[in-house]
Amino acid sequence: MSMVSSPAEAVARVAYLSSDVVISVQSSLSKDSDFSQHLHHFASNRAKNHVSRSIPEIQTSRTNADPLLSAYTPLRSGRLVSVTASSSILLTSIPHLYKLAEYPIVLHVSVQQTPYPDFSEISSIRQCGFSFLHSETLQEAQDIALTAHALAIRSGKGVIHYFDPSNSATNGPIALEKKQLVDNLLMIDAMQPFDAQSGDCFALYADDGRIATIPEQEGIQSSSGTISVKPKAQSQSPMRKDIAPSSSSETSSVGSSRRESSTSSGPASSAATTVDPPATRPVTSSDIYKIVTDTWARMKQIVGRSYSPIEYTGPQDADSALLIFGSTGVFVDVLDDDKIPEDLSRVGLITARLYRPWLGSTFVDSIPKSIKHLAVLEQVRRNTTKWGPTFLDVLSSLNPSAGGKSSITLVGYRLGYIEPATARQALRGIFQNLTSAAPIQGLCIGNESGPDQPLPVVEVQQPQVEAAYFKILNQLFGQRLHIANQLGLNNAGISPTIAASPEYGFGSLLARIEHRKRFVLEAQEAARSQEFITEPPRQWLSKWALHADDAQKANDLAPEVISRLSNDGSRAASHLLSLKNLFFKESQWLIGSDAWAYDLGNSGVHHVIASGADINMLIIDSQPYSERAAADAERRKKDIGLYAMNFGNTYVASVAVYSSYTQVLQAMVEADQFEGPSVVVAYLPYHKEDDSALTVLQETKKAVDLGYWPLYRWNPSNEVKGEPTFHLDSERIKQELEDFLRRDNQLTQLMNRFPNFSANLSESYGSEVRKLQKRKAKDAYEQLLEGLYGAPLTILFASDNGNAESLSKRLANRGRARGLKTMVMAMDDYPLEDLGTEENVVFVTSTAGQGEFPQNGRAFWDNVKNAGDLDLSAIHYSVFALGDSHYWPRKEDKIYYNKPGKDLDARLSLLGAKPLRPIGLGDDQDPDGYQTGYADWEAGLWQALSVADVAGLPEEPPPVTNEDIKIESNYLRGTIAQGLQDTSTGAISAADQQLTKFHGTYMQDDRDLRDERKAQGLEPAYSFMIRCRLPGGVATSSQWLQMDAISSDHGNETMKLTTRQTFQFHGVVKTKLRPAMQSINKALMTTIAACGDVNRNVMCSSLPEKSAYHSDVHKVSQKISNHLLPSTTAYHEIWLKDDKTGEKAQVAGPAVVDHEPLYGPTYLPRKFKITIAIPPHNDTDVYAHDIGLIAIKSSETGRLVGFNVLAGGGMGVTHNNKKTYPRTGWMMGYIPVEHIHIVCEKIMLVQRDHGDRKNRKHARLKYTMDDMGNEVFKSKVQELLRPHEIDFEEPRPFRFESNIDAIGWQKDEKGMNHFTFFIENGRVEDTADFPMRTGLKEIAKVHTGEFRLTGNQHLILSNVSDEAKPQIVDLMKKYKLDNTQFSGMRLSSSACVAFPTCGLAMAESERYLPELITKLEGCLEENGLSQDSIVMRMTGCPNGCARPWLAEAAFVGKAYGAYNMYLGGGYHGQRLNKLYRSSIKEDEILEIMRALLARWSRERQADEHFGDWTIRAGIIKETRVGSEFHDDVAEDESDAE
Ligand SMILES: Cc1cc2nc3c(=O)[nH]c(=O)nc-3n(C[C@H](O)[C@H](O)[C@H](O)COP(=O)(O)O)c2cc1C
Ligand code: SF4
C-alpha cells in the first residue's frame, strides 16, 4: 500500500485533492520544491480532485515573481485555490494577504530553516486576517492540512497552515488520507460551487471590499449538524448549508482578541449597502472556532484522532507549563520519556494548534487551573519588540479584565536552536528561571547561531537563462561592475532572500554612493593640504577629483593617482590608499524581475527613479509573448518603460538580447553614462528555465516584431545636445506605437488619453482588423459578381506551397468560362458565418506537416471542427485533396495521407452539406502527380453542376513561366525600381521576386513570425536576403569591416559565411535594400549574379599553406567570374544610381552595355555553379558543381599549369521524385590554364542551348548531360572550342585527401601565418557567451592581410606576419576566438540556413545541427571517437545548399522535426550517399547514430572512414553515379505499402 513519508507530500496530496487550482511556488522553475514534485506527479497521472471532480490546474510560480497575484482570478471565478510555498514569500506578500483573507484560499507554508526553524515570518503576518493552523508531526500535517481546507471552504476565508518540516523528519510513513474523511470534512455532498463575485472590475491595489459574511439569523448546530457561513449575495462562500454562531460564543469568543484578533473584521463601508435578505454579518472569530472544533469532532468520529485549538499535554495538576510558538519536537521527546526526571514531571506543554484567531477565553479554559508559572517560548531569530507577540497574546488572555487569571507568573523566552542532547538541560534552565523569585524576561534558550551542521537553506536562484544579461554587463564593465543585489554575494547577517531583493540593493547602493562622495571630498581636502611628503599626489589628486564622477576619466586617472600615492609614504597617502577602490567609479546596477512591474507605485522602480540617484536598473521581463494573452488579466503589467519616461529625469531603454545584441550593448553603455537613474527593461521570455535558446529566440522575435516589446532608447540628456531624446530601434513596429512614442513631450497627456495604451494594444487590433478584412474581401467579391448570371460557385483553398492555390485559381477561371459566378479565396480569408448561405462550395486543400492543414486553412478548419451549431444543410460541396501517399513511409502513418481533405469532407457531410461529387484525391506519387486524380474529379464536378458540355470555351492562357518573366523583364529590370518605392507593403511583386535574384537578392519572410502575424491580420514579415559575389571567398580587412557594418546597419546583426564562400545578409527590409546594396558597392564588392539563372560566385580552395600557388589559382577564379558576368546595366540603374544626380555608379568589373552576348535575353535555364579545388584539398566539393576544376601544378615550378575539368555535378533534389537526383561531376579532361575561362564559357553555352527550359526541376546541367549522354555533351563543347583550337587532353593525375578545413594556425612557404577559425555553420554573430562578431571586427581593425572564407563556412585570417601575430593572438584570446577544441564531428559538419528565413525549409538546420551534435558527443567520447572526423551535413530541404548528398552522414529536412537520413558518402566528397531512413525524428536519429558509431569504432580498419565503413559493413549500398541514387536504398519509400 502506498504510504506518505513527508509532511510536504501529505500536504501536497491534500491540497491537490481539495483544490481546483494549486499555485506551486518554487525558488526556481527548473528546480522542484518539496511540494511540487508530488503535485506534478499527481497531475501527470491526471488524478481528479475530490471537490469538483476535475483535474486541478497546477500553476508554477517563482518565489520572487509575486506569486500570490495569480490567486485572484481563479478565486473570483469561484475556483478553490491553494498555495504551497515556503515562509519566505510571506513578508513580500503582505499587501495581498490582507485582501486574500476574505477568500477561501489555503496557504500551506513550510517554515524556513535559516538555518534552524524560524517562525518570525508567521508571527509578522499574524494580523493579516487569515486563520492560522499549526501542525507538527507528519500525521498532523495531513490532518491539519485537511482541516485548513475544510475551514476555508466553510468560512469563506483564507487559512494559513504552517509547519516545520524538520520537526517530523524522524516520523515513520503514514497511511494515505482516508477518502471518507476527506469527503466528510470538505462536506462534498453539501457543498455548492463557490459562487464568486462576477463581472466586477477589481483594482488590485485598492481595497476591493470583499468581506466574507454569514446570514445573521441562522444558528450554529453541533458537530453532527450542518453548519453554514453564508456570505452576502455578492460574495458567497462555497457552501450553502450554514452554521451560524450562537450568540453566547459570539461574545465569549472575543476575549483577548478584542484587541488583537485579526479575523473579526467589521463590514467595510462598500459592503454595508447589500440589499439581499436575509441580512448578513461578517464571519467572526467564534465562527472560525466553531467550524474548526466541529471539523475536529468529525475527524475524531471517523479516524479517532483528536485535536483542539489550544492543546495542553501533561499532568492535570501541573504547576508550571511551557507554551511554545515554534517547534516542540525536542521538548516533547524529553517530556514524553518514561524516565522523565522528577523536577520535570509536573510540567505541562501548551501549543496553539489554532494560532489565529487567538481566543483568549479558550486559552484560559484549555489549561489546568493549577498552573502558576507559564513560560512562553517564541522561536524567532530576531526579536523586533521587547515582548514577543505570543507573550502579549497570553498576557492579555490572562488579564482579569478579560476574564483571565492574573495569578500566573508569565515569563517570555526566545527559543534558539536546541540540540536534542541538551534539551533536558534547556528545559531545566527554563523552569529554574521561571520558578525563581525574580525570573529574568527575554532569555534566549539554545544556540542562536544554529546547528553545527546547518540544515539545507532554500535559496532564491538566478534563472539560468537570465545569465545572458549578466554576461553582457560583465563584458562591458568588467571590474567596474557592481551589482548590488546579486545572488550569492556575501552579506553578513542578511538572509539570501533579503540580500537579493532590489529594495535591499537600493539601500546598499545609496550607502555606497554616499561613501564615495565623502571619499571624493576627503581627496579634495587632501589635495589642498600640506600632508604629503612628495609633490605629485596633490596635483594628481586635484586632477582626479575634478573628474571623479566621470567614469572614463576617473578610472583612467585612478591607477596614476594610486601609483603617486604609493610613492609618497605619508600618513595621508596611506589613508587614501586604504580606500583605493574608491578611486574607481563603479557601474552600479540593481537587478529586478518583472514582478516589479505589478505595482509601480510601491515598488523599487519608483523609489529609485524618485531618488534621482545615479543608479542603473536592469529589469528582466520573462513572460513569453505567446502566454501574454492567456495570462491572468490581473497580472497585466504596467509598462515600466513608459512609467519611467514619464518621470523625465530617467534614462530608459527597452531591449531584448535575442533580438538585438548591439542595442543591448548600446543601452547599457548609455545607461552607465547617464547621470541619474537609468532603467533598462530587458526582455527574456521563457516558460521553463531550461528552455532552449531557440525557444527563447522565437518568443522574443514575435514580441519584438509585433510591437509587444518595442526596442527603444530614451535619453533625456540628448535634449541639451539638441539631439532627439527618443530612438526607436525596432525594425517593424505598429504605427500607432511609433507615433505615440515620437510625441515624447506629450507623453503624460497621451497616457491619460489612452490609458490602455501599452504594449498590449496590438491584441485587439489584430483580431478586429482581420475580421474587417475578411468581410471587405468577401463583399467586394460579391459586388463584382453581382452583374453575372449563372449558378454561384465558391472555391476555398488551403495551400502552403502554391499547388492547391494555383489549382483553385485555375478551377475558378474555368468555372467563370462556364458561366458560373465564381469566387475563390483562401479558407482563412473567408467569413465562416456566411458558409451556410452558399449554394455550391468547392474545397481544395493540400496536406502539410504530418497530416495537418496548410497554414491558410488552419483557423477555418478549427472553427468548422468546433462549431456545433453550423447548419450546412443548404449547401452542395465537394473536396479535392492534395497529398503524397508516401510522404510518411511507415505503414502506421498511412492515416496522414490527404488527412485534412478527408477530415473536412467527413465533417461537412456530418453538418448536413450535400456532396456534389465524392472527394477527389491527388497524389504526388501518381504518374502526373496530383494532376492524375484531379482531371477526373474536375470532370465530375462540371457534370454535377450541369456545365460539363459548354461549347466555345476560350483557350486558357498558359501559366507565366520564369522564361516569360526573363523575356519580359528588359534585361532584368522588370518593375523592381517601382516596387521598391511602394511603402504600403514590405513585399515586391512575384515577377520581381524572380528578377531580383539575378541582382543577388531575394525576398523571404520570417517563418518564426508567420503564424503570429497572420493571426494579427498582418502581412508576413518580409525581408530580403542579400548575397555578395566574392570569387574565391577572399576579402580584405576593410571589406570585412564594411560587411560587418552592413549587417548591423541594414540587416539582422549577423552575417552568414556561405557554403559557396561568400557573405550573405538576412533580414534586410525593403527600405534598407538600396542603401545596403550601395554600401556593398562602396566596399568594392557586388551582388550581381550572386543568385538567379546565371553563373554564380566562383569558388576556390582556400589553401592557407601555399600562398603563391593559392594566388595563381585565385586569380583564375576571378577571371572566370568576370568573364561570365552578365552585362545588363539594370543592376546599376536600380541599385546604384544617385537619386539626385541620376548618375550610375560603377561596380568593379568590366564596363557594361544592355546586351547579353553570353546569355541572351533569357539567360540560362537554371543556376550555374563553378568551383575550383586544389588537391589534396577538396574543401570546395569539386564534384558537386556544374563545373568542377581540379588545379594541376607543375612538378618543376610548383605553380599552376592547368585544370582537370569535371562537368555536370549538382545537388538539388525533390523528395520522392525519382526523376530528380544528385550527381557528381563527370571528368571531361585536362585544359591548360590560359584557356580555362573559354572552356567554362563553352560548357555553359551548351547548357544554355540544351538545358530544359520547360521544367525547372529538370533544368540543371546534370540532367542535360544524362539525357544527352556525357560523350555527346562533350562533343558539343568540343565543337564550340574548335575555332579557338582548344581541346581536352587526358586528365592529369591528382589525389584528394579530405574536404574539411584544418582549424588553427598554419605557416605558409613565405613564413606568413594563417589561422582558420571554426565558425559554426558560418554564422557570424554576437551572443552573450561568445561575442564573435565584435572580436572579428576588432581583429579586422588591425589585420593587414586578408580574410578568406572557406567552402566549409569557416574563416581564415590570412597573411599574418610574425611581428603582427602576438597582437592578433591577444585579441583572439580576449574574444574566445582561439578555441579549436571541438569534436571531430563538429569540425566536419555544416548546415544550410533553413528556418527562419529560407522559404523552402521544411525543417530546422543551422539552428538545430549544433544541438544534435552536442547530443552525440557523449557517445563519441565513450567510443573514443572525439577526434575522428566524420563529415556530417544537414539541410532543411532537399535543395541541398550544404551539399548533404556528399556527406558521410546527412540529414535532410522532410517536415518540421523530421529528417531523411543518408549514409555512405565519400570522405573526400568523391561519392554520393544514399537514403538510409526516411522521416525520422530526434530520438530515432540518436538511437541509430549511437549504434552505428559504436560499431564503427569496433569494426573499422586502419584509417577507414565512416562513410566507407557503412558500405563495407553492408549497412548501405554504394552510389556510384547519380542516376543510381534512388536504387537499392536501405528503406525503399515505395515498398512500404
Ligand atoms: C512539409 C510537408 C509535409 C507534408 N505532409 C504530408 C502528409 O502528411 N500527408 C500527405 O498526404 N501529404 C503531405 N505532403 C505533400 C503535400 O500535401 C503535397 O506535396 C501537395 O501537393 C502540396 O500542395 P501545396 O503546394 O498546395 O501546399 C507534405 C508536403 C510537405 C512539403
Ligand atoms: S537546403 Fe533548402 S532549406 Fe536549406 S537553405 Fe537551401 S533551400 Fe533553404
Side-chain angles (χ1 to χ4, degrees), residues 1368-1407:
I1368 301 275
V1369 167
D1370 283 351
L1371 283 170
M1372 281 166 49
K1373 191 163 185 283
K1374 176 168 176 199
Y1375 292 98
K1376 304 191 206 165
L1377 281 160
D1378 52 355
N1379 192 0
T1380 55
Q1381 295 308 302
F1382 301 97
S1383 66
M1385 178 183 275
R1386 198 177 289 276
L1387 291 172
S1388 321
S1389 71
S1390 57
C1392 73
V1393 179
F1395 277 88
T1397 47
C1398 176
L1400 301 170
M1402 297 168 182
E1404 293 282 354
S1405 179
E1406 180 191 316
R1407 300 195 290 192

